[in-house]
């Protein structure tokens, strides 16, 4: 297959995986729903979206809610998202005290991709190993 | 403060005390949430909440059992229990086909499941006073969905109990769950067999009473 052929969305090359690494600064200027649509638009195009700084719990909750609304079983094949964050554990600090002390969920690196193309092979405190399938 | 104001405040306290607290039963698909909700409802009201199944996403609409009065040590706590659909970030209807389901049933199940999960997430932000987070103790608790959900619950400052379910099964590990969420109280149980339900009700009364 020719390298220059594009996918059926006319976007990503057929044989590659596009990765969007979104900076903290880019996300900071956006409202919750703008962030969520930025992420989901990328993922629905088949891209892997990496956030330098993750979402806060309220945004994560809305991300799940909106993702559910976009899954159409007889539609375009979108089956939802796979998401991994770093560091992974909740380990107490995200409670009230942690937030008062201003510790960061801030620094939480987050990887989001289409569920039907991304698979977490291994995850522990120090390593997330992910397989991304070609389309 | 006048007499009227103090009467008013004691009346509102009276109502606040008798108003049942709404306890959401959350957790991943197939953890045993409905089995637990049914057991609680049967033990204290005599009837059930909804159907249980080994096929994931059996519960696709939050179901409520109101005014469940749990009696402990002479006092009683009054709760509404809300059984929610298993939370996930993905639903692939083709996986239901493996459970011997016709295509259009699988599509319908998938659509209901996604709506139900969205609704359950919405409720968690707006409408529950406490959470029982149910995990299947035979599976790895250290998943992204569990971590996110516990984080969301913590950020709302809701009281939360973690239930390590299915301890009747041989490869259940309660300790693995305690290690994953050391900041919360973990209660072992078998919702199916009814094991350790006394401690379950003690803790419910203690946390949500
Ligand atoms: N061995 C054992 N099986 C259990 C226990 N609790 C539930 N199950 C079984 O696990 C399966 C799922 O139970 P449900 O109560 O339907 O699970 P759920 O969390 O409500 O699942 P969804 O509604 O699909 O999210 C059923 O086959 C139950 O019989 C338990 O304590 N021990
Ligand atoms: Mg259920």
């Amino acid at each position: 297959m020719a390298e220059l052929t594009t996918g059926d969305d006319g976007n990503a090359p057929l044989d590659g995986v596009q990765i969007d690494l979104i900076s903290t600064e880019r996300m900071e200027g956006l409202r919750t729903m703008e962030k969520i649509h930025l992420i989901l638009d990328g993922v629905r195009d088949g891209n892997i979206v990496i956030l330098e700084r993750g979402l806060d719990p309220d945004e994560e909750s809305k991300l799940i809610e909106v993702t559910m609304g976009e899954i159409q079983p007889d539609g375009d094949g979108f089956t939802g998202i796979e998401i991994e964050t770093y560091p992974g554990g909740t380990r107490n600090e995200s409670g009230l005290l942690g937030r008062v002390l201003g510790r960061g969920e801030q620094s939480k690196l987050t990887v989001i991709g289409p569920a039907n193309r991304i698979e977490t092979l291994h995850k522990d405190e120090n390593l997330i190993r992910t397989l991304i399938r070609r389309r | 403060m006048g007499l009227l104001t103090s009467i008013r405040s004691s009346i509102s306290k009276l109502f606040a005390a008798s108003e049942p607290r709404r306890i959401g039963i959350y957790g991943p698909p197939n953890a045993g949430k409905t089995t637990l909700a049914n057991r609680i409802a049967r033990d204290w009201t005599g009837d059930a909440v909804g159907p249980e199944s080994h096929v994931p996403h059996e519960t696709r609409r939050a179901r409520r059992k109101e005014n469940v009065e749990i009696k402990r040590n002479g006092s009683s706590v009054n709760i509404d229990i809300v059984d929610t659909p298993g939370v996930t970030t993905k639903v692939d209807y083709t996986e239901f086909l493996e459970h011997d389901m016709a295509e259009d049933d699988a599509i319908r199940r998938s659509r209901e499941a996604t709506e139900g999960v969205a609704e359950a997430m919405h409720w968690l932000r707006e409408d529950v006073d406490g959470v029982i987070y149910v995990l299947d103790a035979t599976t790895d608790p250290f998943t992204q969905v569990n971590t996110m959900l516990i984080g969301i619950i913590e950020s709302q400052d809701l009281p939360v109990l973690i239930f390590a379910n299915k301890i009747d099964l041989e490869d259940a590990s309660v300790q693995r769950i305690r290690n994953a969420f050391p900041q919360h109280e973990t209660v072992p149980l078998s919702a199916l067999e009814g094991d350790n339900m006394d401690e379950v009700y003690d803790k419910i009364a203690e946390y949500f009473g």
Side-chain angles (χ1 to χ4, degrees):
Chain A
M1 202 163 281
E3 283 84 307
L4 291 177
T5 323
T6 53
D8 34 21
D9 54 8
N11 230 333
L14 253 184
D15 210 21
V17 176
Q18 179 178 325
I19 295 177
D20 295 339
L21 182 55
I22 303 178
S23 73
T24 304
E25 287 69 28
R26 173 77 201 277
M27 291 296 268
E28 254 168 11
L30 302 178
R31 292 165 180 278
T32 298
M33 287 316 277
E34 291 172 328
K35 292 181 191 175
I36 288 170
H37 286 301
L38 177 67
I39 294 165
L40 285 181
D41 287 351
V43 170
R44 296 201 61 165
D45 282 345
N47 306 335
I48 307 300
V49 177
I50 301 179
L51 308 177
E52 181 185 15
R53 167 220 213 140
L55 301 170
D56 69 30
D58 193 59
E59 291 166 343
E60 286 180 339
S61 158
K62 287 183 180 128
L63 176 65
I64 297 175
E65 189 177 336
V66 175
T67 298
M68 288 297 118
E70 303 226 335
I71 299 173
Q72 298 297 335
D74 45 3
D76 61 0
F78 178 69
T79 56
I81 60 173
E82 198 68 68
I83 173 169
E84 291 289 356
T85 62
Y86 231 7
T90 58
R91 305 272 180 234
N92 218 3
E93 295 103 331
S94 57
L96 182 62
L97 192 64
R99 271 176 291 132
V100 169
L101 295 177
R103 165 224 153 246
E105 285 124 275
Q106 267 60 16
S107 54
K108 198 173 62 178
L109 180 72
T110 298
V111 181
I112 305 161
N116 56 5
R117 290 189 59 207
I118 187 170
E119 187 183 333
T120 303
L121 299 176
H122 173 88
K123 183 181 183 185
D124 63 31
E125 288 87 59
N126 303 305
L127 176 71
I128 298 173
R129 177 169 291 149
T130 297
L131 178 75
I132 302 165
R133 285 195 202 82
R134 293 196 191 88
R135 47 179 83 216
Chain B
M1 171 162 84
L3 181 61
L4 198 63
T5 324
S6 73
I7 288 174
R8 230 183 246 137
S9 100
S10 36
I11 288 177
S12 71
K13 271 197 201 107
L14 210 78
F15 273 108
S18 62
E19 184 86 355
R21 306 192 64 198
R22 192 172 294 166
I23 308 305
I25 301 181
Y26 283 82
N30 228 30
K33 299 176 293 298
T34 304
T35 309
L36 172 71
N38 283 341
R39 180 165 289 279
I40 297 174
R42 281 202 199 96
D43 280 355
W44 300 100
T45 71
D47 44 35
V49 174
E52 307 154 13
S53 161
H54 67 283
V55 185
H57 299 296
E58 178 63 22
T59 309
R60 285 156 338 257
R61 265 277 117 103
R63 283 166 188 260
R64 216 183 316 174
K65 184 80 203 164
E66 290 178 332
N67 272 308
V68 179
E69 201 182 332
I70 297 177
K71 297 200 177 65
R72 289 282 100 175
N73 306 318
S75 67
S76 76
V77 293
N78 195 359
I79 57 173
D80 291 349
I81 48 180
V82 186
D83 178 29
T84 70
V87 172
T88 178
T89 59
K90 56 187 178 194
V91 177
D92 183 353
Y93 85 92
T94 59
E95 281 170 20
F96 298 134
L97 299 175
E98 289 157 26
H99 292 274
D100 264 346
M101 208 174 282
E103 172 130 353
D104 50 344
D105 289 337
I107 287 176
R108 187 174 333 108
R109 191 181 185 89
S110 161
R111 192 172 285 121
E112 290 171 358
T114 56
E115 282 170 14
V117 173
E119 182 186 55
M121 293 312 299
H122 192 83
W123 277 46
L124 187 54
R125 292 197 306 271
E126 318 262 313
D127 262 332
V128 295
D129 304 314
V131 174
I132 293 173
Y133 200 80
V134 182
L135 291 167
D136 177 341
T138 67
T139 64
D140 179 12
F142 199 68
T143 66
Q144 185 62 32
V145 164
N146 291 338
T147 306
M148 276 197 299
L149 261 283
I150 296 289
I152 291 164
I153 292 161
E154 287 171 348
S155 76
Q156 314 263 344
D157 292 319
L158 294 169
V160 57
L161 279 172
I162 297 189
F163 279 13
N165 191 31
K166 310 198 185 183
I167 56 163
D168 57 295
L169 297 177
E170 205 174 313
D171 38 353
S173 168
V174 179
Q175 193 55 45
R176 191 165 50 172
I177 294 177
R178 291 210 167 100
N179 293 344
F181 305 104
Q183 68 274 37
H184 296 294
E185 173 113 32
T186 296
V187 187
L189 77 153
S190 166
L192 189 67
E193 304 292 336
D195 298 340
N196 204 33
M197 292 308 290
D198 270 333
E199 190 190 355
V200 163
Y201 294 130
D202 284 344
K203 292 293 178 196
I204 289 178
E206 182 186 334
Y207 273 70
F208 309 125

